[in-house]
Amino acid sequence: MNIQKNISLKPFNTFGIDAIAQQFAEVLSMDELKEVIQKTPSFFILGGGSNILFTKERVPFVIHLNLKGINILNYSDDDVFVKVSAGEEWHSFVLWCIENDFGGLENLSLIPGNVGASPIQNIGAYGVEVKDIIDEVETLEILTLQKKVFFNSECKFGYRDSIFKKDLKGKYIITAVIFKLKHKNHQLHVDYGSINEELIKNNISNPAIKDISNAVIAIRESKLPNPSAIGNGGSFFKNPIISTQHFQELQQKYPTIPHYSVSETEVKIPAGWLIEQAGFKGIKKGNAGVHSKQALVLVNYGNATGAEILSLATEIQIAIKEIFDINLEIEVNIF
Ligand code: EPU
């Protein structure tokens, strides 16, 4: 296997941060993965690079996980089980599903990144989370180099969260994901306001999964910056969950505050709204900024360093705490 030295990571992360990998190993098979892990005591696993902010100038050892393959395992009643290797590009896989009329992931169209990262932060959009469609997650245990399969119930999925982000962080490498899709009797999720609006706009009353995918693509393109044009890592913060009491206090002061009920005692507030209210939407600080159409997305206007982006994020967190007494939790991985 070829281990390259001093490689710029700029093309490998959607934020476009120019960190340097002192050693960079491209891994194309399980054997290569095991071989490289044995060579180095510590490493950073890089997939699609869409949810990472590099804040250090140098990263000692990067393993670029590029395992490929999409295989139909079996059919049962309405379901089809598909195994997808970690290095497959997420959106290409979603399009493959749509071409095959396999339903379930259409609301998650156009999310940047690779399949292997999807269970880690339980990617979600427009009323669907990937946990709803994941059957199993295949991993390699770093310590033993043994394969370990996690059933959905073992992954402890939550809002932008899983066991791989918490208790098992750094212990397992996700090598493949097995999805349980529908090959008939599709269950469509169109409740998310703007999907319905988009379908109505296009005179579609009886949507197919492709129509949902197209609607999601149109919505995303209208408000989220395309990482190939302007560096970003999607939502930079999680939408905070606060107590109902705290929410009611805020509602007195801000009657139009958007909110989603999570439980009887908890309410989720869109962080984008809080950031916009705090006056940060569209601002530019050096090369770092807040996107003008969606305040939850921080952007790199050119040659920002990870530290510059992080410093803007900290400024936002301090302001939101001061104004609303809410702690904004960073969603993107910081390295
Ligand atoms: N809003 C504002 N100003 C803004 C942005 C949002 O006021 O600048 C308010 C509006 O009231 C809007 C509401 O926030 O109706 C929700 O906004 P949006 O539909 O854009 O969704 P979001 O809550 O900001 C979440 C996910 C996105 C996902 C969308 C759609 C998180 C952290 N983010 O954003 O995920 O695409 O919902 O389902 O949960 C990502 O994780 O990278 C990501 C893009």
Side-chain angles (χ1 to χ4, degrees), residues 21 23 43 54-55 65 107 116 168 189 198 212 257 260 270 308:
Q23 298 197 71
F43 47 81
F54 290 114
T55 54
L65 200 57
N107 293 52
L168 301 186
H189 299 269
E198 192 63 31
I212 308 279
I257 184 170
Y260 318 99
E308 256 180 284

Side-chain angles (χ1 to χ4, degrees), residues 50-51 107 111-112 121 123-128 159-160 192 194 219-220 223-224 233-239 256 258-260 268-277 281 291-297 331-332:
S50 63
N51 204 41
N107 293 52
I111 293 184
Q121 80 258 31
I123 59 171
Y126 308 104
V128 173
Y159 166 58
R160 291 294 191 281
Y192 193 92
S194 34
I219 299 165
R220 290 189 75 97
K223 55 175 147 182
L224 294 170
S235 299
F236 197 88
F237 302 99
K238 284 190 188 184
N239 285 331
T256 59
H259 57 282
Y260 318 99
K268 196 193 266 183
I269 310 291
W273 184 86
L274 298 169
I275 297 167
E276 182 173 346
Q277 292 299 307
K281 192 168 184 171
H291 189 50
S292 56
K293 294 186 191 149
Q294 165 48 292
L296 191 46
V297 179
E331 199 264 325
V332 164

